[in-house]
Amino acid sequence: MKLRIWPLDLNGEVADGVSEVRLWGIDDDDRRVLVLDRSFQPYFYLLLEEGFDFPSVISEVDAQASPLSIVTVEREADKKFFGRPVNAIKIGCTTAKECVKAGRVLAKIKGVKTCLEDDLRLASKYLVDHEVNPCGWWELDVEPIENETNARVDEVYLAKSPPKQIALTETPSLRILSFSAICYGTKGTPKPERDPIVTLSLATNSGAVTQLVADDSDEAIIEGFVAYIRNFDPDIISGYGINTSEWPYLLERARRHGLQLHVDRGDGEPHTSVYGHISVTGRANVDFYEFADEVPDVKVKTLENIARYLGALKEGESLPIDDTEISKLWTDREQRQRLLTHSLQTTQSVLKITQTLLDFAIQLSNLVGLPLDHVGTAATGFRTEFYLMKQAHRLNELIPRRTRRPYFPYAGATVLKPKPGLHDNVVVLDFKAMYPNIMMSKNVSPDTYLHEGEPVPPSGVYVAPEVAHRFRKQPKGFYSTVFTSLLTAREELTRRLDERRVDDSEHRVLDARQQVVKVLTNAVYGYAGWVGARWYSRSVAEATTAWGRATITRTIALASEAGLKVIYGDTDSIFVTHDVEKVSQLLERVEDELGLEIRPAKLYTSVLFTEAKKRYAGLLSDGRLDVVGLEVARGDWTDAAKNVQEAVLKIVLTERSPEKAVTFIHNYLRDLRVRKIPYRDLIIWKTLTKPLAKYKVRAPHVEAARLLLGNGWELTVDDKVGYVITKGDGRLYERAVPYQFSSYDELDLEYYEVKQILSAAHRVLAVFDVSLDDLKLQNPVDTSYK
């Protein structure tokens, strides 16, 4: 029989000594199904040295076949490696684990240069070889079989044919469950071996909202959580930060109670998978914190900031509790309801974020080829690499091994020194896929690179400026082929988008996919210079940035010739005064001379540049504040400093009045002196990046952490330490104490005025010749509270 399946998860297993790929998904009758495919043969390649023939190497392999569980040995004469034809032997083994073992042994045979693709997981090779992608519809021949695996599904099938991707774009009806937990610790960051979960909230896309609350023990919370998941049977479980917080905590708390967290469809527990994420077999566990970088407009990626940006929190709403209040609120039974309400609001915000970003996540998974629970956790380089692996397979290119190599820096993109001050009516002109287009037009690719001493081919070469790296003009390189397919796909998606109404469901899917194509296209350039890349090539990265610098330099010259004032330039964009006619002429000249498309990307009614590169703020034409590189956009300053700087920026950009900004600062400082500024806004948060014993420098957060440790608190790497600076004459680290151990009356308000608030404000106002003395209150800090 034919089965259509929309896969959620796949994993490789060994059953009766044979490799088995398990496909978990939803069929077109809305049933949850499991397909067992036992036909896929694990394999790898032996790459031969030049001058060695197949027979002698094959003979050596055959002699060792039996003890190494080798079942097939095939000659491969049509493979390429970095674009060059090579001789390779395909070795099939009983299991993926045996491939790794055989590879280590056979690599030592005389005539074998290296082993390739023995370091790929079975499920990865299955996806690549069959050219199928998760989060899309597959069709395959199956036969029903008995459910002997304890799988919590409606049907189990045995595959009778390889899967084929089919052209259906509609996503099935997915059951989604979001959750978040609050843990109670009296000695710092809660630790699962000691501190209980006090409440856990769940929300589903069916409209159900549930809250589990601890009484004397969190055992009932864990049991209730497992029961709820097994009853609702979600396809997708989502959270915000759950891969590093909730899941590890739940697993440890379950162990402490002698419980098992059987929440997957294989009747097992969540487990750590290949990219460090938590995998829940048969379901997609998606941590949307790992997609926060896809929202570049939000600089500090807190749940509240992301939720507000995506509309999951309405104007005026907030998540009212911060971590500093949890233990106090839980202990105070009259205040506990605030904490429970906060937990519910948090989970509901996570569900709304899930529903907003899920289309993007699904399309990213489908295009890249990594399963939905993998693709968010995987770094950009790994996402790019998996996509390249699929393209390589189609081109008969063998996949290089991942090897360790040292990092050697090279010259990067052009970043101009900005013209400090306030500028009106500024347009940002952005090259459309500048680096990908350069790489295509110059055929820049690892397989077209001409090494030193290699003769120039008849087709000729492109020579990069400054670095003089050479690339063959013909044939078309691997990267050029990939870029062509991506850019063509995006143009087609854009065309189809224009034909759909915005409220059309297909419009939403198409828009998410074109965003994914854009992200992936821009990532391929950076991948070439990533030392962890299989297709790493420093020459490719150096040459591309060299051509990029030449492009920006010439564009700046053309802008000046057109009579436009160039205010700033960064990587693939320039900031110029917005003269509609002159800008239009510039766009035409750039395209005619450089063969690249440049277009307006942002329009600032006013923009403020500091003296430093990559640090500016502008007021967009729609009234939004766009901040790059300043304290407002960073997580390592007090909220007081960030709040003041943001307010100052809004004043000078909207009202154009440094004087009003100075008045605002004076008023803020007066409020600080009479303790009207919330104490929590004065806490400085820093993360411990290594064990305390390994810190050589006596930094304030380290000394605060040692005080916590001395008072019975437990701290580990990645814990956040919140500290304040108290009065005294000692060095800063000697006056840093945990915020829990201090009070407003003990704070060094002069430090907060000068080093935090005035420092952040002066970075903005210095360009107006406002001095630090102008910002200070004339009378000294009054340390008494009246």
Side-chain angles (χ1 to χ4, degrees):
M1 62 176 283
K2 294 285 186 184
L3 176 74
R4 288 182 172 181
I5 180 174
W6 198 89
L8 282 163
D9 186 29
L10 75 162
N11 54 292
E13 302 289 342
V14 176
D16 299 324
V18 177
S19 287
E20 177 180 271
V21 177
R22 296 183 178 180
L23 313 174
W24 306 80
I26 306 168
D27 72 8
D28 53 0
D29 287 327
D30 199 37
R31 296 176 304 171
R32 275 58 190 170
V33 299
L34 169 62
V35 178
L36 309 179
D37 191 341
R38 295 168 183 160
S39 65
F40 187 70
Q41 177 73 65
Y43 69 90
F44 66 98
Y45 292 101
L46 299 179
L47 185 63
L48 304 191
E49 297 274 8
E50 288 187 23
F52 279 84
D53 58 0
F54 285 106
S56 61
V57 177
I58 289 176
S59 177
E60 286 283 341
V61 172
D62 286 340
Q64 303 188 55
S66 181
L68 293 177
S69 300
I70 294 172
V71 293
T72 59
V73 180
E74 302 173 20
R75 173 176 174 166
E76 297 277 346
D78 60 345
K79 295 294 182 181
K80 294 177 288 182
F81 192 56
F82 282 91
R84 274 75 168 178
V86 292
N87 289 330
I89 298 173
K90 184 178 181 181
I91 308 292
C93 296
T94 53
T95 67
K97 187 176 180 179
E98 293 297 335
C99 282
V100 176
K101 178 182 174 182
R104 285 197 296 263
V105 174
L106 299 184
K108 300 173 184 178
I109 292 177
K110 186 176 181 181
V112 173
K113 186 176 183 179
T114 188
C115 290
L116 297 174
E117 304 189 18
D118 57 324
D119 58 344
L120 299 180
R121 296 170 68 245
L122 179 66
S124 298
K125 290 184 75 67
Y126 186 88
L127 290 168
V128 169
D129 280 30
H130 291 318
E131 299 185 5
V132 289
N133 296 322
C135 296
W137 288 97
W138 303 358
E139 186 175 79
L140 64 169
D141 294 322
V142 299
E143 68 175 28
I145 60 173
E146 290 293 321
N147 185 353
E148 298 176 349
T149 62
N150 294 322
R152 299 177 62 82
V153 293
D154 298 317
E155 295 287 349
V156 179
Y157 298 100
L158 181 67
K160 306 302 288 185
S161 72
K164 293 182 179 179
Q165 201 93 36
I166 55 177
L168 290 178
T169 58
E170 187 173 337
T171 302
S173 178
L174 298 168
R175 296 197 288 259
I176 302 170
L177 178 146
S178 300
F179 79 99
S180 67
I182 292 179
C183 307
Y184 169 71
T186 58
K187 297 290 186 180
T189 302
K191 296 290 187 293
E193 59 272 13
R194 178 193 65 205
D195 301 315
I197 301 166
V198 293
T199 183
L200 188 149
S201 300
L202 307 101
T204 73
N205 63 336
S206 66
V209 179
T210 300
Q211 187 166 47
L212 306 171
V213 182
D215 188 7
D216 296 326
S217 165
D218 57 3
E219 183 174 359
I221 285 182
I222 296 166
E223 291 175 331
F225 177 66
V226 172
Y228 195 96
I229 289 179
R230 290 167 73 95
N231 179 60
F232 180 68
D233 193 23
D235 303 307
I236 293 174
I237 299 176
S238 73
Y240 197 84
I242 54 175
N243 275 340
T244 54
S245 57
E246 274 91 340
W247 279 124
Y249 212 99
L250 279 161
L251 285 163
E252 180 59 29
R253 293 304 297 166
R255 277 191 281 272
R256 295 274 160 176
H257 291 298
L259 303 173
Q260 291 185 310
L261 211 63
H262 282 175
V263 295
D264 71 21
R265 282 186 170 144
D267 206 29
E269 293 191 297
H271 60 278
T272 302
S273 192
V274 60
Y275 296 112
H277 70 283
I278 299 297
S279 179
V280 182
T281 300
R283 314 186 196 276
N285 172 61
V286 188
D287 185 344
F288 278 95
Y289 174 74
E290 293 165 347
F291 287 90
D293 284 342
E294 313 303 338
V295 189
D297 288 347
V298 179
K299 309 302 180 183
V300 181
K301 314 294 186 180
T302 63
L303 171 61
E304 182 167 348
N305 289 348
I306 292 289
R308 176 161 284 108
Y309 180 83
L310 296 176
L313 281 177
K314 296 177 182 176
E315 193 66 34
E317 287 184 336
S318 65
L319 298 176
I321 308 297
D322 61 41
D323 291 343
T324 66
E325 299 179 89
I326 288 174
S327 61
K328 180 179 68 175
L329 292 176
W330 181 256
T331 304
D332 185 344
R333 289 193 172 269
E334 292 184 0
Q335 292 289 317
R336 185 175 291 183
Q337 187 55 48
R338 280 185 60 206
L339 189 64
L340 298 179
T341 300
H342 168 73
S343 174
L344 286 170
Q345 289 176 329
T346 296
T347 301
Q348 289 170 319
S349 293
V350 171
L351 178 61
K352 290 175 183 176
I353 289 172
T354 300
Q355 292 170 319
T356 302
L357 291 181
L358 186 58
D359 282 330
F360 177 86
I362 284 173
Q363 292 304 316
L364 183 63
S365 170
N366 183 258
L367 181 68
V368 169
L370 288 169
L372 186 57
D373 62 341
H374 287 46
V375 76
T377 306
T380 301
F382 290 119
R383 295 178 189 172
T384 306
E385 187 162 88
F386 203 86
Y387 182 81
L388 292 176
M389 283 162 50
K390 294 193 306 174
Q391 307 309 309
H393 181 264
R394 291 172 184 154
L395 297 170
N396 265 342
E397 276 276 347
L398 295 175
I399 298 169
R401 296 185 70 81
R402 179 172 291 112
T403 59
R404 292 186 178 182
R405 53 176 70 88
Y407 172 72
F408 295 102
Y410 57 88
T414 296
V415 182
L416 297 181
K417 185 174 176 57
K419 298 185 185 302
L422 196 60
H423 303 271
D424 294 325
N425 201 26
V426 173
V427 64
V428 182
L429 302 179
D430 195 8
F431 278 96
K432 180 182 177 182
M434 182 174 82
Y435 287 122
N437 278 304
I438 286 173
M439 295 174 80
M440 283 195 298
S441 65
K442 305 301 182 185
N443 207 26
V444 180
S445 187
D447 52 317
T448 61
Y449 173 63
L450 225 58
H451 294 271
E452 188 175 346
E454 285 190 89
V456 175
S459 62
V461 294
Y462 295 107
V463 182
E466 300 179 46
V467 295
H469 294 316
R470 302 173 302 159
F471 298 88
R472 295 195 304 271
K473 292 185 175 181
Q474 295 293 335
K476 192 174 183 179
F478 177 41
Y479 280 6
S480 293
T481 302
V482 170
F483 281 130
T484 299
S485 66
L486 284 170
L487 293 174
T488 301
R490 191 167 185 219
E491 288 174 2
E492 172 62 16
L493 287 166
T494 302
R495 183 191 65 77
R496 290 171 61 190
L497 265 173
D498 292 340
E499 297 173 353
R500 299 288 188 279
R501 297 192 317 273
V502 175
D503 59 354
D504 187 331
S505 61
E506 190 173 353
H507 184 283
R508 190 182 71 241
V509 174
L510 291 170
D511 187 46
R513 192 166 184 84
Q514 69 89 16
Q515 291 180 49
V516 166
V517 173
K518 178 182 178 182
V519 168
L520 190 61
T521 302
N522 290 328
V524 174
Y525 145 68
Y527 171 82
W530 173 44
V531 293
R534 293 178 186 271
W535 281 277
Y536 169 79
S537 173
R538 180 183 173 183
S539 300
V540 165
E542 275 188 330
T544 306
T545 52
W547 265 304
R549 290 192 298 273
T551 298
I552 287 291
T553 300
R554 182 56 186 154
T555 302
I556 291 168
L558 291 173
S560 298
E561 291 173 16
L564 292 167
K565 181 182 178 183
V566 180
I567 298 164
Y568 183 58
D570 186 355
T571 309
D572 59 355
S573 60
I574 61 171
F575 294 57
V576 301
T577 50
H578 190 216
D579 182 311
V580 176
E581 185 176 340
K582 291 178 180 178
V583 167
S584 180
Q585 292 172 359
L586 173 63
L587 303 186
E588 289 181 12
R589 285 199 66 185
V590 168
E591 189 162 0
D592 288 343
E593 182 175 323
L594 302 178
L596 296 171
E597 183 181 348
I598 188 171
R599 55 193 176 181
K602 290 180 182 178
L603 178 61
Y604 293 114
T605 55
S606 58
V607 60
L608 177 76
F609 285 97
T610 66
E611 297 279 352
K613 298 177 180 179
K614 295 183 179 290
R615 290 191 177 183
Y616 60 89
L619 194 67
L620 295 165
S621 56
D622 61 5
R624 287 182 296 124
L625 185 67
D626 184 35
V627 182
V628 176
L630 296 170
E631 285 76 6
V632 168
R634 291 161 57 188
D636 55 354
W637 282 68
T638 62
D639 283 347
K642 291 188 282 187
N643 293 341
V644 166
Q645 190 180 74
E646 183 173 8
V648 168
L649 285 168
K650 285 180 179 176
I651 291 169
V652 297
L653 288 169
T654 57
E655 302 185 52
R656 313 181 65 76
S657 175
E659 295 79 16
K660 282 190 176 180
V662 172
T663 300
F664 167 81
I665 293 164
H666 287 166
N667 290 334
Y668 192 92
L669 293 178
R670 291 189 185 98
D671 286 345
L672 174 66
R673 292 185 181 189
V674 296
R675 283 65 167 173
K676 284 186 178 179
I677 304 304
Y679 179 77
R680 65 175 175 268
D681 286 359
L682 304 176
I683 300 170
I684 305 166
W685 293 95
K686 295 282 283 186
T687 300
L688 294 174
T689 58
K690 53 189 173 183
L692 282 176
K694 294 194 174 181
Y695 278 97
K696 306 298 181 188
V697 178
R698 300 188 70 179
H701 74 293
V702 175
E703 296 307 305
R706 287 180 175 138
L707 284 172
L708 289 170
L709 206 62
N711 281 271
W713 295 50
E714 294 181 16
L715 297 169
T716 57
V717 175
D718 293 330
D719 277 355
K720 275 188 157 187
V721 176
Y723 66 92
V724 291
I725 302 300
T726 57
K727 302 171 190 173
D729 297 326
R731 296 182 179 182
L732 198 63
Y733 68 80
E734 295 174 308
R735 296 187 287 120
V737 300
Y739 74 89
Q740 301 94 328
F741 297 174
S742 189
S743 67
Y744 226 130
D745 291 344
E746 298 172 283
L747 298 186
D748 183 349
L749 296 186
E750 186 171 4
Y751 163 81
Y752 284 98
E753 285 192 12
V754 177
K755 297 298 184 182
Q756 286 282 331
I757 295 165
L758 296 186
S759 177
H762 188 249
R763 190 182 298 281
V764 176
L765 294 173
V767 299
F768 300 104
D769 295 325
V770 175
S771 69
L772 268 174
D773 286 338
D774 295 330
L775 298 179
K776 293 178 181 177
L777 290 176
Q778 295 307 307
N779 55 316
V781 176
D782 182 1
T783 58
S784 64
Y785 181 59
K786 299 176 182 177

